[in-house]
Amino acid sequence: AQHQELQRQQQEGHQEELTPSKRVPSGGSVGPTPTTIPAARPAPAAPPAGGASMAAILKRETEQQEKERQKARQAEQLRQQQVAQQQQLQRQQQEAQLRQQQEALRQQQQQRQEAAAKQKAMQQQEVLRQQQAQQEALKRQQAAQQQQALQQQAQTPEKKPQLQSQSSQGSTGTGGAGAGGGGGVAGLDLLTSGLGGLNLAAGGENGAPDGSYLSALNESFATMPSSADSERARSYTPQNPYPTPASYPSQPSPIFENPAVFEKLGTDCLFFIFYYAQGTYQQYLAARELKKQSWRFHKKYMTWFQRHEEPKVTTDEYEQGTYVYFDYETGWCTRIKQDFRFEYSFLEDSLQ
């Protein structure tokens, strides 16, 4: 509407300029009508201060829209920054919680390790205490045995007068017989020859033996060995002592010394006895039973081998082929080794 009003005003002004005005000169004379030269066309009037052109309006609207878009972008950027800050804060909180959990777990592990170390130390102290108690008991037993031996030695002189009296009686009898034919002297010579040539008849009266030799004979008789002295005393000493209740057996059962029991055991059990009862009679029995089952011990690799098939190459020094061996280090199982050379120099062949 402002634009149409402006155009209408411009048209009215243009029409007034085209219509000449007639002026009558002063003095009443009428002269020729002067020729009027039209003036130059003035420039269109500027729009009123209250109005605005369409281009300005559009420009202003465009600027406003651009400002609104900038504000929207800034608001979006601000929102994204806030979201990123919140996410970063959440990550930091999660990392802090994770560190706290890890620290708590580490402390728990450390506490468990300390508790296990304390328990192990207590067990070791208990084992040492038991060993000391066993040693003290063994010392007391030895002291008792020594005291018993001293008592026996103290009792032996009491038997000497009896033996001396018996020998004096025998010498008297032999003296009477000696007057008749010397039979007592022959019996005494036989006794001295049986004692390594000791002259028991020297130093006595009427051919009677001296008391010092009878004392030596009595002492040798008191310390005469018995049939049980030829057997070695078997005392069981545990390899890994551990405190157990009194109801638990303290010594292995004698049944495990029977070779017939090992014939009924499986291969896995035999391997366990061989590797975990080293230096015992049971290890020997287990090795002998494994050898009966065609297993051969390799001294270099410290494990047992068995033929999986007939060897492909056989010489005086080695044989080569496919073997089954027992893996006691990593898997505790049997494995197959192809194209293996078994040198006879590493074969343990001392078992009977």
Side-chain angles (χ1 to χ4, degrees):
Q2 293 178 358
H3 187 63
Q4 290 177 0
E5 183 66 24
L6 181 60
Q7 287 180 355
R8 187 178 61 80
Q9 291 177 1
Q10 289 177 358
Q11 289 177 1
E12 291 178 354
H14 182 63
Q15 289 177 359
E16 289 179 358
E17 291 176 357
L18 293 179
T19 303
S21 59
K22 295 182 181 181
R23 296 181 180 180
V24 179
S26 60
S29 61
V30 178
T33 302
T35 305
T36 303
I37 300 172
R41 184 176 179 181
S53 64
M54 182 61 66
I57 294 172
L58 294 175
K59 183 179 180 180
R60 188 166 54 251
E61 291 178 355
T62 304
E63 291 176 354
Q64 290 178 358
Q65 292 176 358
E66 184 66 24
K67 289 181 180 179
E68 291 177 357
R69 283 195 294 269
Q70 289 180 358
K71 290 181 179 179
R73 284 195 298 269
Q74 291 177 358
E76 182 65 22
Q77 291 178 358
L78 182 60
R79 188 184 64 80
Q80 291 179 358
Q81 290 177 0
Q82 292 177 355
V83 171
Q85 291 177 358
Q86 291 179 359
Q87 291 178 355
Q88 185 177 3
L89 182 60
Q90 289 178 358
R91 285 195 299 269
Q92 291 177 357
Q93 291 177 356
Q94 290 177 358
E95 291 176 356
Q97 291 178 359
L98 182 60
R99 285 195 297 269
Q100 291 177 359
Q101 292 177 359
Q102 291 177 354
E103 182 66 21
L105 182 61
R106 187 185 64 80
Q107 292 178 358
Q108 290 178 0
Q109 290 178 354
Q110 186 176 2
Q111 291 176 359
R112 285 197 294 267
Q113 291 176 358
E114 292 177 355
K118 290 180 180 178
Q119 186 176 3
K120 186 176 180 180
M122 292 175 62
Q123 291 178 356
Q124 291 178 354
Q125 291 177 359
E126 183 67 20
V127 170
L128 291 175
R129 188 182 62 78
Q130 291 183 356
Q131 290 179 354
Q132 292 176 358
Q134 291 178 358
Q135 291 177 359
E136 292 177 357
L138 183 60
K139 288 180 181 179
R140 288 195 297 269
Q141 185 177 3
Q142 291 177 355
Q145 291 177 356
Q146 291 177 359
Q147 186 177 3
Q148 185 177 3
L150 291 175
Q151 291 177 358
Q152 290 179 357
Q153 290 179 2
Q155 292 176 0
T156 50
E158 297 177 358
K159 299 179 181 179
K160 290 181 180 179
Q162 298 178 0
L163 184 60
Q164 290 177 358
S165 62
Q166 292 176 0
S167 60
S168 61
Q169 293 176 1
S171 61
T172 304
T174 52
V185 176
L188 189 61
D189 292 338
L190 180 61
L191 180 62
T192 56
S193 63
L195 294 176
L198 290 176
N199 189 7
L200 298 179
E205 297 179 355
N206 300 324
D210 194 2
S212 61
Y213 298 103
L214 292 176
S215 176
L217 180 62
N218 192 18
E219 291 179 359
S220 64
F221 177 77
T223 58
M224 182 177 62
S226 62
S227 60
D229 294 334
S230 61
E231 298 180 0
R232 187 178 64 179
R234 295 182 180 180
S235 59
Y236 173 72
T237 303
Q239 296 180 356
N240 300 316
Y242 189 82
T244 57
S247 60
Y248 195 83
S250 59
Q251 293 185 356
S253 176
I255 194 174
F256 294 111
E257 297 181 359
N258 187 4
V261 175
F262 286 78
E263 297 177 357
K264 302 177 182 180
L265 299 179
T267 307
D268 188 74
C269 183
L270 294 175
F271 282 133
F272 180 82
I273 296 173
F274 178 81
Y275 284 107
Y276 286 92
Q278 298 185 9
T280 62
Y281 181 60
Q282 287 76 16
Q283 184 189 25
Y284 167 76
L285 294 177
R288 190 176 68 173
E289 187 61 29
L290 288 171
K291 188 175 180 182
K292 289 181 181 179
Q293 299 179 11
S294 301
W295 287 91
R296 297 295 180 266
F297 187 72
H298 199 288
K299 293 187 290 185
K300 179 180 179 181
Y301 298 108
M302 302 300 291
T303 189
W304 292 85
F305 283 80
Q306 188 182 50
R307 290 179 180 175
H308 186 262
E309 58 186 14
E310 290 297 324
K312 298 178 181 178
V313 180
T314 303
T315 64
D316 295 338
E317 297 180 354
Y318 67 89
E319 63 182 37
Q320 188 171 354
T322 303
Y323 289 84
V324 178
Y325 73 96
F326 183 74
D327 184 8
Y328 69 96
E329 291 181 331
T330 59
W332 194 262
C333 61
T334 56
R335 303 182 187 275
I336 295 178
K337 181 68 174 178
Q338 297 181 354
D339 197 19
F340 178 74
R341 176 182 291 186
F342 199 119
E343 298 182 5
Y344 295 143
S345 59
F346 298 117
L347 176 63
E348 176 62 44
D349 200 19
S350 61
L351 296 175
Q352 300 295 333

